[in-house]
Amino acid sequence: MSQVPLDSSHLDYPTVSPLVAAILRCAGGYEAFSVNIPALLRQAFDEVIDAPRTGRFTLSETEKTEKTYVGTKVEILLRNYLAVPKGATLDMLVDGVEIDIKNTTARDWMLPREVVGHPALLVRSSEKTALCDVGIVICRPGYLRLSTNQDGKGQLSASQHINIWWILRQHPYPPNFFEVLSVTERNRIMAAGGGTARIAALFEAVQSKPISRHQVTALAQQQDPLKRIRRNGGARDILAPKGIAILWGQRDRALIEKLNLGPVTADEFISFMPETADDIALLRDANHID
């Protein structure tokens, strides 16, 4: 789903509209935002799960303190992507306006006392559905259920979501394949054999969907996953005779665009089994399939 802006008659429209425009300008436009923010979320989850070093594959396997750190990771990556500084009080400064960044993997957001009355960039994502929401809201006291606890945090409840300008709404982001595959498929991939065989099994099971470098590295059990993917002994040798190509967002961008497989970022791979003669010829010419 694309943007869901506030109605121009909404109380917050004059404040939120220029903030959204400024954020999208920093991001390089809406199209760039809609591609790079989902990839950023995948990166944040994968870096916290840290599968190559920990042997874990899902967020549910991480410690409680690590789950909390996902929000900090999203904040850091998002601010760096937009190339904006921290504010004096809140998480980032955009066109002279301080904006807080709040991430959740639950239903609603918990907002600290210092953000009341100020704008917040809200990020929500689900590893189970691989869908995310990103929006801007002015955290007016009337929108919040304020806590009586000492921390004074407020919660933006579902009934107040009508006051959010959704920049992305129920937007797909690269899934964690261990969350979306069936148990049978997961077990089959893990039982395929060594790192190369596991990667081949993964790309055969999950086609036409980007898979992050972190996840490939986790299956490869080495820091150079390309060695397990490329020809001359890699997963491509296993899949090419089956007519399945593995493409890399960094090296094969032009080919990915010709095949209409995007968006695929430079840190993602995608497998594809062509059906048309033209697509087969393209991949054969590039030595991706036999």
Side-chain angles (χ1 to χ4, degrees), residues 2 11 39 98 101 124 161 166 174 227 238 243 246 249 279 282 286:
S2 59
L11 171 67
E98 291 202 28
I101 301 171
R124 178 172 58 189
H161 290 185
W166 297 108
K227 185 175 181 180
I238 298 173
I246 302 176
D279 288 350
L282 276 174

Side-chain angles (χ1 to χ4, degrees), residues 22-68:
I23 288 170
L24 293 180
R25 185 175 65 251
C26 292
Y30 181 80
E31 184 175 350
F33 186 94
S34 66
V35 171
N36 291 319
I37 292 298
L40 179 153
L41 293 175
R42 180 74 269 138
Q43 180 183 349
F45 283 122
D46 287 346
E47 288 184 2
V48 171
I49 295 169
D50 197 12
R53 290 191 296 179
T54 65
R56 304 173 309 196
F57 292 97
T58 65
L59 191 65
S60 62
E61 296 174 86
T62 61
E63 301 292 333
K64 184 177 181 180
T65 52
E66 292 176 294
K67 292 183 179 70
T68 303

Side-chain angles (χ1 to χ4, degrees), residues 75 89-91 99-103 109-122 139-141 144-147 150-156:
E75 173 196 329
T89 304
L90 303 182
D91 293 329
I99 304 174
D100 214 33
I101 301 171
K102 280 292 164 280
N103 178 78
W109 296 267
M110 296 301 296
L111 300 161
R113 182 179 301 171
E114 60 266 23
V115 78
V116 176
H118 298 281
L121 180 68
L122 305 177
C139 300
R140 299 184 182 276
L144 307 176
R145 292 199 302 269
L146 295 174
S147 171
Q150 188 173 0
D151 61 15
K153 285 187 176 181
Q155 185 177 32
L156 185 72

Side-chain angles (χ1 to χ4, degrees), residues 70-134:
V70 170
T72 303
K73 176 66 73 173
V74 168
E75 173 196 329
I76 293 168
L77 293 175
L78 204 156
R79 189 170 53 239
N80 288 346
Y81 165 56
L82 297 177
V84 296
K86 290 192 72 169
T89 304
L90 303 182
D91 293 329
M92 65 180 180
L93 185 67
V94 179
D95 273 10
V97 179
E98 291 202 28
I99 304 174
D100 214 33
I101 301 171
K102 280 292 164 280
N103 178 78
T104 188
T105 56
R107 182 180 176 87
D108 297 314
W109 296 267
M110 296 301 296
L111 300 161
R113 182 179 301 171
E114 60 266 23
V115 78
V116 176
H118 298 281
L121 180 68
L122 305 177
V123 182
R124 178 172 58 189
S125 46
S126 167
E127 284 282 79
K128 297 296 184 184
T129 64
L131 296 173
C132 65
D133 300 311
V134 181

